[in-house]
Amino acid sequence: MKLLISTIGSLLVVLVGGIALLLAVAVADGRAMAFMIEKAATAVLGHDVDVGHAAVADWGMPTTVELTDIAVENAAWADEPSIFRAERIRAALTVSGLFPPAVELPRVVVTAPAVFLAVNAEGKANWQGMVSGSGAPSDGPADLFGLKSFQIAKGNVVYRDAAPGAPRMVRLHGLRAEAPSVDRPITFEAQGQLAAGPSKPQPQNIRFSGETGSLRQLRKGDLPVRATASVGTVRAEVSGRVTSLFGNPAADLHVVAEGEGLQPLFALAGVAVGSTPSFHAEAQVVKEAARWTADGIQARLGESRATGTLTVDASGPKPMVAGDMTATTLAVGQLRELAGQGGGQTQRDGAQDLPFGWLYAVNADLTLRAERIEAPSLPLRAGSASVTLKDGILRMDPLHVGMPEGAITGTLRVDATANPPVLALGAKGQGVPVSALPVVAGKVAGMVEGTIAGTADLSSEGRTLGALLANLTGKVRATVDELCWRLGDGPIRRRSVTRLQ
C-alpha cells in the first residue's frame, strides 16, 4: 500500500507543481502532458516512468485528471521490466498556495494495477529507494496527499523472494481495495497462489479478505486489522492492531488457524506427507522491529496437544527461530503419516528426497519436551531434546526418551552441508524393553520379553529415507538381563544373553 500510494501520488502531484504547469496543461495535448509527467515523475521516483496519455477530465473544483497506460521501470536485476503498471488512474486533485503549491488528492481510482515486487538472493528489494527517499522512517502521521477515498479494482500483485527462509512466490489476482470515505473502514480481498520453501514448493491456492481501520487512522499509522485467509483446506483468522506503520511497524495480533490436515502447508514447502489428523492452533503474535513472537501457543493435531512460545528474529543474514515447546500429549501413531506413509508407492519405498533444504533456510535454538507419549506398539513414556540448527547443521544434544523401566539418552547430528547429507547417532540405553527394537516391535510383540542395556554409534548418508537405511553403518553393543520367549503355544523359554554386537 505504501509503495502504491507513493507511486500514484508522485505521478499525479507532478501534474500541478504550480500555476505555470496548470496553464501548460490547459493548452497542451494529451501526449505533451504525458511527456511532462514522465519527466517529472522519473525525477521524483528515480525510475523511468512511461505514461501513454494524460488528460484533464473535469476542470471543476477539485480538478479531475486521468492517466492511461502507466508503467514504472523495474530494477535492472529484476525479471519483470516494470515494477508498476496500471491501465488507468483517475484522480480528483486540488491545489492551494503558490510557493510551494500544496497538492491534495481527495479521491483516486486505479483500474487494473499490476505490481511486481522482488527480493534477490542478497536480500535487496526492487522497491528500495522508491518509498524511502524522503528521509528516515518516522512514527509521526502521514498526510497521504490528503486522500479521503480510493478504489483499486482488478489488481494483480506478484512477489518473489530469493532470500533464505522467505516465501518463494506470491501471485494475487482480482485484488480489490476500497475506502468509501475518510472515516469508513478500508476493505480488501484477493485470491491467487502462494509457494514457500527452499526446495520444489507446490503452489497452493490462497484467498483472503478483511478490513482495516479508516484512512484517518491510516494517516496516523495506527490501524485495527481483521482478516480471514485460506490455503487449500486450511483457514486462518487474524485480528488485532498494527502501529507505527510509517516508521518502524509493530503489530499485536491474535491468530487462529485450523484445517482438515497439514498437507496444504507442507506442500507449500515442497514436502509431501500422507494424510494427517485435523489440527487447530492459536497464539498471540507480536512484532517489534525485526522480531516476531508467538506467545501462548495452543496447538492440537489429532490427539496430540502442545503449548509454548516461539520467536523469529529476522535481523540477521538468516531468520533465527527460538523457543520452548511442550507436548502435553504426543500421539506417535498419528504422527507417522507425516513421513509420507499415505503418499504413494514412491514415498512408501523411501525414495522421496527429504527436506534437507530447510536446514539451510533458518537457524534455530529450541527446547522440545513430550510429557506423555502415546505409542501403542512402543514402550515410550516421555521425551525431550535440545535442538540447535546453524548453517545447515542440526544437532539434538541431549536427546532423551523415557521408558517404563529405563531410558535412552544420546545425541543426533544431521549435516546438510555434506553431499549427500550425513546423519550420525550416538545413544546409550538402560532398561530398554526388547519389544522396542525395530525387528521386534509390531511383529512378535508379546512373544519376546526382556530388557537391554547398551550403546549405539551409527552413521549414514543419503538424501532419501531409503538411502539412509541402506547406508546405515556403525556398532551396537548390548546386554540382555534375561530373554524370555514363546514359540506358538509352547512353553516359555528363558536365557541370559551377556552380549549382543
Side-chain angles (χ1 to χ4, degrees):
M1 178 61 73
K2 188 176 178 182
L3 172 65
L4 192 61
I5 291 174
S6 178
T7 302
I8 294 170
S10 299
L11 287 168
L12 295 172
V13 167
V14 296
L15 261 175
V16 286
I19 295 299
L21 182 56
L22 281 175
L23 292 175
V25 168
V27 298
D29 61 21
R31 183 54 226 158
M33 288 173 56
F35 178 78
M36 289 187 290
I37 295 169
E38 289 172 351
K39 294 302 181 184
T42 296
V44 172
L45 294 174
H47 289 243
D48 286 343
V49 176
D50 292 324
V51 178
H53 189 269
V56 177
D58 186 348
W59 281 100
M61 290 297 291
T63 300
T64 300
V65 297
E66 185 174 284
L67 311 180
T68 57
D69 299 328
I70 306 102
V72 180
E73 181 190 34
N74 211 339
W77 51 263
D79 294 334
E80 293 287 340
S82 301
I83 189 174
F84 173 84
R85 294 200 308 262
E87 180 182 300
R88 178 178 291 103
I89 300 175
R90 186 179 179 94
L93 183 148
T94 64
V95 182
S96 60
L98 292 177
F99 302 106
V103 181
E104 290 190 349
L105 307 171
R107 177 164 176 77
V108 175
V109 177
V110 186
T111 304
V115 180
F116 301 93
L117 305 177
V119 177
N120 62 21
E122 290 73 40
K124 185 176 182 180
N126 65 337
W127 64 86
Q128 285 179 351
M130 292 189 65
V131 296
S132 59
S134 59
S138 170
D139 289 333
D143 60 19
L144 301 180
F145 303 104
L147 190 64
K148 296 179 180 178
S149 67
F150 75 85
Q151 183 182 67
I152 299 172
K154 299 188 293 185
N156 292 274
V157 177
V158 176
Y159 174 80
R160 294 188 178 93
D161 200 327
R168 313 309 278 181
M169 183 274 290
V170 180
R171 187 184 300 274
L172 302 177
H173 57 84
L175 174 65
R176 182 196 64 79
E178 183 175 14
S181 70
V182 72
D183 290 313
R184 292 180 61 182
I186 302 169
T187 60
F188 57 88
E189 65 178 9
Q191 56 186 317
Q193 288 188 317
L194 169 67
S199 59
K200 300 179 181 178
Q202 300 176 20
Q204 297 292 298
N205 292 330
I206 62 172
R207 183 184 299 270
F208 66 88
S209 62
E211 66 177 37
T212 71
S214 65
L215 280 170
R216 193 181 302 278
Q217 291 171 304
L218 178 61
R219 289 174 185 171
K220 298 177 181 178
D222 186 345
L223 279 177
V225 176
R226 185 174 72 249
T228 61
S230 63
V231 179
T233 59
V234 176
R235 185 174 183 273
E237 295 183 357
V238 179
S239 60
R241 202 164 199 91
V242 178
T243 58
S244 301
L245 189 60
F246 299 107
N248 296 306
D252 190 348
L253 307 169
H254 186 70
V255 180
V256 179
E258 59 186 7
E260 298 173 1
L262 293 171
Q263 296 94 323
L265 299 183
F266 276 94
L268 283 175
V271 180
V273 299
S275 60
T276 69
S278 61
F279 80 95
H280 176 94
E282 59 182 284
Q284 196 69 25
V285 179
V286 176
K287 177 189 182 295
E288 294 177 336
R291 184 183 180 92
W292 291 83
T293 300
D295 198 10
I297 297 173
Q298 299 285 336
R300 172 188 59 78
L301 176 61
E303 299 300 320
S304 298
R305 302 287 189 275
T307 62
T309 299
L310 291 173
T311 64
V312 179
D313 188 339
S315 61
K318 289 183 181 181
M320 177 67 183
V321 181
D324 192 322
M325 293 294 298
T326 298
T328 54
T329 301
L330 187 64
V332 174
Q334 292 182 330
L335 299 182
R336 286 179 179 174
E337 293 296 338
L338 292 177
Q341 300 301 312
Q345 186 65 35
T346 297
Q347 295 176 32
R348 286 195 298 270
D349 291 345
Q352 177 179 312
D353 281 359
L354 297 172
F356 289 110
W358 275 101
L359 302 186
Y360 290 99
V362 299
N363 293 329
D365 186 358
L366 301 167
T367 299
L368 307 178
R369 302 180 187 85
E371 294 180 345
R372 182 165 66 94
I373 298 178
E374 294 182 352
S377 61
L378 295 172
L380 307 178
R381 283 194 172 177
S384 64
S386 293
V387 181
T388 59
L389 171 61
K390 185 172 178 59
D391 298 333
I393 299 178
L394 173 72
R395 290 182 176 88
M396 292 187 180
D397 185 9
L399 177 64
H400 177 88
V401 179
M403 297 182 176
E405 299 179 11
I408 296 175
T409 59
T411 62
L412 175 67
R413 185 178 188 271
V414 180
D415 185 354
T417 66
N419 187 19
V422 174
L423 180 148
L425 172 66
K428 180 179 180 180
Q430 185 71 38
V432 179
V434 174
S435 58
L437 296 176
V439 295
V440 177
K443 298 180 179 180
V444 290
M447 298 171 62
V448 178
E449 297 178 356
T451 58
I452 299 173
T455 61
D457 291 292
L458 304 173
S459 63
S460 187
E461 62 180 26
R463 295 190 176 276
T464 67
L465 181 60
L468 289 172
L469 293 174
N471 297 328
L472 188 64
T473 61
K475 295 181 179 180
V476 177
R477 297 180 177 87
T479 59
V480 181
D481 292 340
E482 186 178 53
L483 185 64
C484 305
W485 72 93
R486 180 197 300 270
L487 298 177
D489 295 329
I492 297 177
R493 301 179 183 272
R494 303 178 186 275
R495 182 178 179 182
S496 294
V497 182
T498 57
R499 184 168 182 174
L500 296 176
Q501 184 170 328

